[in-house]
Amino acid sequence: MAESLTKKQAQDLSKKLMRKPKLVWDALSKTEQGKAMKFAEGYKTFLDNAKTERRAVAEAEKLALAAGFTPVEEAGANDLVYKVWKNKCIILARLGNRPVADGLHIVASHIDSPRLDMKANPLYEDVDMAFFKTHYYGGIRKHQWFARPLALHGVAVNGKGESIDIRLGEDPNDPVFTVLDLLPHLARKLQAGKSLATAFEAERMNILLGSLPLGPEKTSDRFKLMAMNLLHEKYGLVEEDFLTAEIEAVPAGKAKDVGLDRSLIGAYGQDDRSCSYCAVQALMKLRKKPEFTGLAFLVDKEEIGSEGNTGAKSKFLETFIADLLELTGEGASARNIGSALMNSKALSGDVAPALDPDYQSVHEKNNAAKLGYGICMTKYTGSGGKSGASDAHAEHLGYVRKVFEDNKIVWQIGQLGKVDEGGGGTIAKFLAAHGMDVVDCGPPILGMHSPFEIGSKADMYMAFKAYAAFFEAG
């Protein structure tokens, strides 16, 4: 058989039968390439302004209001509605032609990212310097958070019950903060001789606040007093207010273009605010009223297992669907809510690990996503023998594949490294628990969970187009 084919015949047969990954830049016209670069500018601004889950919700709500969305409780005849829950998650909806009970098209993503949280009683002084004690949140690699500029974001509720917004380290005139690292000359026993997992201890991850004293030389805690007094002058805080506060340390600075060609973006929090921004933009910029109601669902707490009343395990999605059923006059019966969920199709918008040129051994190359090759569909995550995975059905994969192919979406398949190399999870399994079909689908990222993740502008633009195509699909 092989000998009976000419070279051209073999090439034609290969083109017909074999899949060849496509670089997004090769697939885009010059006009589309320009649109991709322009899309990235709005995305970078979102990343700069949305460094915590609270700020991400505020930015998404701002975008929604500018696009004509109204709170679902005040919607009236408006087809564009949204709802905020606890200032930490938000759902945006665009009502479709079909009844809500027939199912929705949902793109769900998370807006929390690994960070350092302040402890409930954080302020102390030692060796004539003031510090905050921290507790890391999510799957950080501790060594990446030492000796780098940090900013403080959060909210404190004072004794009067007033919420005070805290933001320090982002303005060009602001000071920044840092976690001290040990000089290499003295690190032989404490760090160099240990494994990476144990060399950097969580209890040493303390935020340096300053070194000026306040008061006479014999005043107790005068370095701590100086820090507290400055916070009181700026925000009206007293130390007891820390007991009722949520203050987070995140990398300071803006998202940046990376590379001579500016084709990449380096920034904190691209896992998973990239998918969140793309989903919101896709829903807002649909060309026509969709057949099925479209939802952009932005949730908190994914990095710690989707727990709590603002995570994907909460009842927020069901409550919002009940609101939609009331709005459309279908009635929010338990049966209608259940039908809407069971009949829905979803993309769990979460980033995929891109094949890292310097660490290729942890990937299985035939099933690894590559930067610049479009949005990545991940059938399952989990670890070991698919433990903790949702594992999407072939029929749903086929549906999404056809939507992408029909709309000229550049996409690829990928998974989370080699089998038994590690593992992880997303919110897909919590969506699937409602009965809906779901598959993970998001842009690939290098340096995931680091303070400076790398993403491709082409992949972000393709994720936006992919989510729009999914929302518009019948």
Side-chain angles (χ1 to χ4, degrees):
M1 176 66 179
E3 294 178 358
S4 65
L5 291 179
T6 66
K7 183 178 180 180
K8 184 179 184 308
Q9 287 172 329
Q11 290 174 340
D12 290 344
L13 189 62
S14 177
K15 186 177 180 180
K16 177 181 177 181
L17 299 181
M18 308 302 288
R19 173 173 170 80
K20 184 179 179 181
K22 185 179 294 185
L23 190 69
V24 176
W25 294 118
D26 290 336
L28 295 178
S29 66
K30 289 292 184 183
T31 300
E32 284 284 286
Q33 288 178 15
K35 289 181 179 179
M37 299 300 268
K38 184 177 180 181
F39 181 81
E41 295 307 306
Y43 170 54
K44 289 190 296 181
T45 299
F46 180 80
L47 291 175
D48 293 341
N49 295 332
K51 288 194 176 181
T52 69
E53 65 284 1
R54 289 177 182 268
R55 300 211 186 282
V57 166
E59 285 301 304
E61 183 177 24
K62 188 187 301 182
L63 291 170
L65 289 170
F69 284 69
T70 55
V72 68
E73 299 86 356
E74 307 167 12
N78 194 357
D79 285 347
L80 310 175
V81 297
Y82 75 92
K83 187 170 189 171
V84 171
W85 177 242
K86 302 291 184 183
N87 296 318
K88 291 186 177 181
C89 45
I90 184 172
I91 301 180
L92 291 79
R94 189 159 189 165
L95 293 176
N97 294 317
R98 299 274 290 272
V100 172
D102 283 359
L104 308 95
H105 283 198
I106 302 170
V107 178
S109 57
H110 67 93
I111 47 177
D112 61 319
S113 293
R115 61 179 189 255
L116 301 180
D117 286 346
M118 301 309 110
K119 290 187 177 181
N121 191 26
L123 185 60
Y124 75 101
E125 68 174 60
D126 199 4
V127 196
D128 295 344
M129 287 179 280
F131 296 89
F132 273 157
K133 296 292 296 182
T134 73
H135 191 139
Y136 66 89
Y137 172 98
I140 70 168
R141 304 191 73 195
K142 298 186 187 74
H143 68 279
Q144 295 176 336
W145 289 78
F146 287 76
R148 67 176 305 118
L150 299 172
L152 299 178
H153 291 257
V155 62
V157 179
N158 63 21
K160 298 177 182 178
E162 300 166 332
S163 293
I164 301 164
D165 184 66
I166 297 168
R167 178 187 170 105
L168 267 175
E170 300 292 359
D171 188 274
N173 296 319
D174 281 350
V176 294
F177 308 91
T178 196
V179 175
L180 300 175
D181 198 4
L182 184 60
L183 68 164
H185 313 71
L186 298 177
R188 185 175 302 170
K189 291 182 180 179
L190 279 178
Q191 290 180 344
K194 297 180 180 179
S195 70
L196 194 60
T198 60
F200 298 88
E201 300 172 33
E203 289 296 347
R204 297 185 193 273
M205 301 181 76
N206 304 308
I207 305 290
L208 177 62
L209 298 177
S211 63
L212 280 178
L214 182 62
E217 190 171 340
K218 293 187 179 180
T219 304
S220 66
D221 292 336
R222 60 194 189 131
F223 298 92
K224 174 180 171 180
L225 182 61
M226 172 60 90
M228 193 67 249
N229 186 58
L230 291 171
L231 289 169
H232 179 73
E233 289 178 351
K234 187 171 182 65
Y235 296 111
L237 297 177
V238 298
E239 188 174 10
E240 195 170 8
D241 294 335
F242 293 136
L243 303 178
T244 52
E246 292 179 328
I247 303 174
E248 306 169 11
V250 299
K254 294 182 178 295
K256 302 290 288 184
D257 289 343
V258 173
L260 295 172
D261 57 8
R262 297 180 177 268
S263 64
L264 305 171
I265 297 169
Y268 165 70
Q270 297 199 69
D271 175 13
D272 184 38
R273 295 177 191 128
S274 58
C275 296
S276 300
Y277 179 76
C278 291
V280 168
Q281 288 293 332
L283 191 65
M284 289 177 178
K285 295 180 178 178
L286 295 185
R287 296 165 293 186
K288 59 182 180 180
K289 186 172 183 176
E291 187 66 15
F292 292 91
T293 295
L295 258 62
F297 180 26
L298 281 56
V299 293
D300 182 27
K301 297 291 189 290
E302 189 272 350
E303 297 293 357
I304 58 170
S306 297
E307 307 293 347
N309 64 354
T310 56
K313 292 181 183 178
S314 73
K315 300 295 184 183
F316 181 41
L317 178 60
E318 294 163 73
T319 302
F320 184 75
I321 288 176
D323 290 338
L324 293 183
L325 288 164
E326 291 291 344
L327 182 63
T328 59
E330 297 168 66
S333 66
R335 182 178 182 85
N336 277 348
I337 295 171
S339 294
L341 289 165
M342 294 280 286
N343 292 330
S344 290
K345 298 182 186 298
L347 300 181
S348 168
D350 210 339
V351 297
L355 180 63
D356 191 319
D358 293 324
Y359 301 96
Q360 296 186 43
S361 62
V362 301
H363 298 273
E364 192 270 284
K365 289 187 181 180
N366 286 335
N367 290 282
K370 291 174 67 178
L371 217 62
Y373 280 77
I375 192 166
C376 176
M377 201 175 346
T378 303
K379 186 178 188 295
Y380 54 85
T381 52
S383 63
K386 299 187 180 181
S387 176
S390 173
D391 206 350
H393 301 302
E395 292 84 354
H396 187 53
L397 294 173
Y399 172 82
V400 176
R401 171 188 173 186
K402 188 175 188 307
V403 169
F404 287 176
E405 296 291 349
D406 288 348
N407 289 276
K408 296 181 171 55
I409 303 300
V410 181
W411 66 283
Q412 57 184 316
I413 205 80
Q415 66 184 54
L416 189 57
K418 287 181 176 177
V419 179
D420 291 336
E421 188 70 40
T426 68
I427 62 174
K429 62 182 179 180
F430 306 120
L431 298 171
H434 293 295
M436 69 184 72
D437 282 323
V438 58
V439 63
D440 286 301
C441 203
I445 293 288
L446 285 169
M448 192 189 299
H449 280 214
S450 77
F452 195 70
E453 298 168 320
I454 305 297
S456 164
K457 293 181 180 181
D459 293 334
M460 301 306 165
Y461 183 63
M462 202 51 63
F464 156 69
K465 289 174 69 71
Y467 294 157
F470 178 73
F471 282 136
E472 290 179 343

